[in-house]
Amino acid sequence: MTTQELEQLLAQQPIALLHRLARGRVQRHFRAGKRRLIEILLRHSAENRAGFESDLMILIGERPARPIPPAPQAPAVRKPKPAAPQHRTTHRPVEPDSHEPAITLSSWLDGLGVPPPKAFVPDAWQEDAIAKLREGDVVVSVPTGSGKTYVAVEAARRAIAENRTVIYTSPLKALSNTKYTEFSKIFGADQVGILTGDRRDNGQAPLLIMTTEILRNLLYDAGGGEIDIRLDTLGLVILDESQYIADPERGVVWEETIIFCPGQARMLLLSASIGNPHDIAEWLTSIRPTPCHLVRHSTRTVPLRAGYLHPNGKLMPLFRTIGIPHGHPSHLHPETKRLFAQYEDETLPTGRRR
Amino acid sequence: MPPSIHPVDLILALRDKHLTPAIVFLTSRRACDEAMQAFDHSQILLPPIRQQAIADVLEKVIAQYPSIAEHPLIPTVQRIGVAAHHAGHLPSWKIAVEELMRHGCLDAVFATTTLAAGVDFPARTVIITQSSIRKSRDFTDLTIGEVQQIAGRAGRRGKDLVGFAIVTPSPYIDLNVLTKGFTGHPEAINSQFLISYPMVLNLLKAHPLDQIQPILAKSFAQFQLNQRAEVLERKLDGLREQMEPFGPRVCTDWITEWQTFDQVRRQKSHRAPARKHEPPEITARFHFLTPGRVVGIGRSRGVVLRQYRSKGQKSPMITALRQGGGITESPASTVTEVSDRVLDCVDAPVYPWCTPESVEELLRHLEELPGRLPELPILIPKDDEPIPDAIVQTLGDFACPTCPSRSACQRDYPHASKLRQEQQRHLKSIQALRTSLWHRFQEKIDVLQEFGYLTPTAHLTADGEWARLIRIDHSLLITELIRADAFNGADPAMLAAVMSSIAHDDDRPGAFPRVSSGLGSLLGQVRKLALSLSPHEDPPLLRADIAAVTERWIGDPSLTWIGLCKSTTMAEGDIYRLLARTLEFLSQLHTLKGTHPGLADTASRAIANLRRGVLEELP
């Protein structure tokens, strides 16, 4: 290959390939533009032209065949489009990978199945939450699907046994309806009532389900002197999905409800995992007559594994460990990393494919 | 390679690895619908037993909610065991899908991420195809909490030993966001304490004004503000400690003392050269003394031909063509007035600085000009405010030049003054943090007093008494409409239509039925009022097309649900939600039966008309 041919071949390659080629050959090659880079590469390849050419061929061969761009004189550096968020991946400093070997797909899939039926035994945190409710208010912050409903049901059962009224609120009407059906099955239809903007079923039942807005309105009307509901016998208020307190539009309703909730009633706040549940607990302690306990639990009852499905149908673990490596987002499975890089390469607008 | 996996391949892969049932989260409703269409001609059928099981469950749900009996997705659901579940569907359809999932009949549900926050039905596997969601028109990256909420649907307690969250790339994915979401710690949540008008009215109904501040102090918002204030206070303590070595010297407030002294010193030295410069009026005017400008020089008038700064002359100069034809050079300071007229003038590089023709032209124009010309308003930039002479006079009175601690003050001043500035900044922000809620509350009180819902002593007026019962968005607009008697004589359909256009906050385009002329003019009035209220309350979208949908449904009791859906391109679920929200607004109006019996009656008639068909069958 003559120097001129080589130069032309280099000019046809994407700049990323040239940089890879320059790695170990040229110092500070990332500073150079394409034309300059080619110049430097040619100068440095003078000593070992054969090795240089074979490296180039390997790099070119790694990429699938592509149409040769019409203009042999490629434009200088093509700037990556700033709109492509995927590019962030490549520029992040990579933290060192763990040195254990990555797991295989079969061991990742291992353990899939249905557990043998066994009697329900409440988790320690569930028992804890129910016990703490005797002493004061409780904030529960646990991952999705850990069994918050069990705590709500047990707490409600105990309050009803003491002839106290229980109010259960959820953020959405649809959720209220689901819970109404669910609780009616557990406690019996005559024990459960529902209040929504336009529906009032069994309003005298000991367990009342409503949206948080309705409860807020009830508390306001009580504050205005028009007692609507038996607030004096109110024993327990359960606020489900209380992470809604951070909702930009509706969050204030949760705050109002908590501020105006009568002092003799206990509060049970059920929330998904949030970063600062202790703040909520502290806040409740500071404004309510009884101290508030925080029940927090971060491991999931059913363990979670993360996977990666390539568009060609190939399934791989996402991380190199079998579970989720908490705190180590970069412990990706090497094969997944390669597949995803390949995917990005082929779909990115800056790649050779348009 | 395709940009993302084909739905049929996806289901096959999941079945192959025994990863069903799965929830597939897609970016949009359309993506869900298209995924369902992909199965139209697919032959990956379920075994007959499972098809039968699905049919059984569906039959039960249909018995309860007949509206979904004809749902177009049912054949695909039965054949393949996949379903779509998103906000465009009727609640009854969503209930059916949830019921099927609960019985374990389905292999996959295609859903939008709204599902993650709403109803909970878990699955063995969750498929994630996106790393951002649409929040009020913009796509934002998923937070860690949201990723965990989505992934948390994987793994059913008692039915699965392990749950799987599987990422599959699509053009909308940033793997980093997701891996961070999986492995990270959820974000802290922050209070969003919006003070609304009904809140103010209701609080003031129950509590006198002087008790409000303690109530606001009980909010989570104030709790978090206090936390921030405490951080600042700790910083303040640290600053105080750092300031200690700079404690009182000869004078107690030596920093201020030195600052004034230092300033005066500097000012003094600057003053002398500043005098030599031209006065600022001249500088400001000189910019406008361009060729052709008509100016007054002394008592006569002239046209500027050129301007220059001569080295021999200290002041800037102009060459002007005077009345009578003379061309004079004069300092710019002799210009007594600058008019706003500029005459056409062709420049030339040598005397007389413009072409001879234009000299004559100019002279003619100059003679024709009226006696008085408006002056050009020229803004004169203020010079640095000079220190009043009185202070300068007393420079000798400062103790500093002879003070024994002068050198220490001079040395410490830069550091100490920086610390003190920081201290003052912190004090100000602490003050703001402690009182901001109260100020926001007071702003609302002011508005309510201005509109007459509150007396000057912050008690509820007669209007305030009923207005506090309207506890929905845009309450100020609604109460003002009621006070303006805007609904006087409006029929139920019209009232409901206006309410629905106030309630609706989605700007999805589409095709809608026509608006009746009566409704159109009423909406025009509402829009005018909403605009005039906009300093106090964000105006609603007030879409007439949306109002027309509601008007048709309520105005025509013989209209069926299918008929309504056919009249617009709005999705069924959206129409349902629109009507449900209208119902909510109407039932708020219904609570005003004590003070506005006519309106409450119209509202209740509208509610009666609204609740039929699909809206009646649902809880």
Side-chain angles (χ1 to χ4, degrees), chain A residues 4 36 41 48 102 128-129 162 222 226 250 318 354:
Chain A
Q4 202 155 31
R36 171 102 181 104
L41 279 174
N48 182 3
D128 189 32
E162 290 165 11
E226 313 143 37
R250 300 174 55 201
L318 181 63
R354 290 288 162 114

Side-chain angles (χ1 to χ4, degrees), chain A residues 88 92 113 115 146 198-199 217 221 223 226 246 255 260 275-276 279 283 300-301 303 305-309 325 327 343 346, chain B residues 1 3 10 152 154 157 161 163 165 167-170 183 186-187 189 191 193 203 206 218 220-221 227 468 471 611 619:
Chain A
R88 273 179 249 151
R92 267 182 70 243
S146 301
D198 50 304
R199 179 180 182 197
N217 288 349
D221 292 340
E226 313 143 37
E255 288 194 43
F260 295 116
N276 54 344
D279 280 352
W283 167 52
R300 291 169 40 97
T301 328
R305 294 178 192 168
Y308 174 82
L309 182 65
Y343 172 80
E346 283 169 30
Chain B
M1 187 180 309
L10 175 68
R157 205 186 159 105
L161 286 169
V167 179
T168 183
S170 72
T183 57
E187 293 87 354
I189 57 172
S191 166
F193 202 75
L203 274 178
K218 284 167 86 177
F220 187 47
Q227 278 184 331
R468 76 183 178 88
R471 295 164 187 153
R611 294 200 59 131

Side-chain angles (χ1 to χ4, degrees), chain A residues 85-86 88-89 92 105 108-116 120-123 126 144-147 172-175 177-179 197-199 216-217 220-221 223-224 226 241-249 251-252 255-256 259-260 272-276 279-280 282-283 286-287 296 300-313 315 318-319 324-329 332 340 342-343 346-347 353, chain B residues 1-6 9-10 13-14 17-19 98 102 117-120 124 127 141 145 148-149 151-180 182-195 198-199 202-203 205-207 215-224 227 468-469 471 505 580 583-584 587-588 611 619:
Chain A
Q86 290 90 334
R88 273 179 249 151
T89 6
R92 267 182 70 243
L105 179 65
W108 182 75
L109 281 171
D110 192 38
L112 182 156
V114 181
F120 175 79
V121 183
D123 293 347
Q126 289 174 323
T144 319
S146 301
L172 304 169
K173 218 185 206 174
L175 270 179
N177 286 322
T178 320
K179 289 292 177 202
D198 50 304
R199 179 180 182 197
R216 193 264 318 256
N217 288 349
Y220 266 145
D221 292 340
E226 313 143 37
E241 311 283 347
S242 16
Q243 73 272 15
Y244 260 78
I245 201 168
D247 187 275
E249 277 151 32
V252 61
E255 288 194 43
E256 288 170 275
I259 296 172
F260 295 116
S273 278
I274 54 172
N276 54 344
D279 280 352
I280 308 248
E282 244 174 74
W283 167 52
S286 72
I287 64 164
R296 199 176 179 177
R300 291 169 40 97
T301 328
V302 181
L304 185 69
R305 294 178 192 168
Y308 174 82
L309 182 65
H310 203 57
N312 66 8
L315 183 66
L318 181 63
F319 297 107
I324 286 178
H326 290 284
H328 301 282
L332 286 184
F340 189 71
Q342 188 189 338
Y343 172 80
E346 283 169 30
T347 50
R353 276 167 40 128
Chain B
M1 187 180 309
S4 51
I5 190 163
H6 192 268
D9 297 338
L10 175 68
L14 292 175
K17 297 281 195 282
H18 306 284
L19 288 171
E98 285 156 29
R102 220 163 276 137
V119 268
D120 63 322
R124 174 173 288 172
I127 309 282
D141 278 352
Q148 294 189 351
Q149 184 101 350
R153 304 275 160 229
R156 298 159 294 177
R157 205 186 159 105
K159 284 188 193 165
D160 289 312
L161 286 169
V162 204
F164 295 89
I166 295 178
V167 179
T168 183
S170 72
Y172 311 106
I173 209 154
D174 179 355
L175 199 57
N176 267 342
V177 172
L178 294 176
T179 51
K180 254 185 219 144
F182 282 131
T183 57
H185 195 69
E187 293 87 354
I189 57 172
N190 289 316
S191 166
Q192 308 280 346
F193 202 75
L194 281 181
I195 295 176
M199 177 180 177
N202 281 301
L203 274 178
K205 164 79 179 170
H207 310 274
I215 291 177
L216 290 177
K218 284 167 86 177
S219 66
F220 187 47
Q222 190 60 56
F223 179 83
Q224 290 197 312
Q227 278 184 331
R468 76 183 178 88
L469 296 173
R471 295 164 187 153
D505 53 5
L583 192 66
E584 202 181 304
S587 56
Q588 294 264 316
R611 294 200 59 131

Side-chain angles (χ1 to χ4, degrees), chain A residues 138-157:
Chain A
V138 172
V139 172
V140 174
S141 167
V142 293
T144 319
S146 301
K148 289 188 290 260
T149 312
Y150 172 79
V151 179
V153 169
E154 269 320 292
R157 196 193 304 274

Side-chain angles (χ1 to χ4, degrees), chain B residues 100-112:
Chain B
L100 284 167
M101 258 328 238
R102 220 163 276 137
H103 284 84
C105 298
L106 295 182
D107 274 351
V109 171
F110 296 97
T112 54

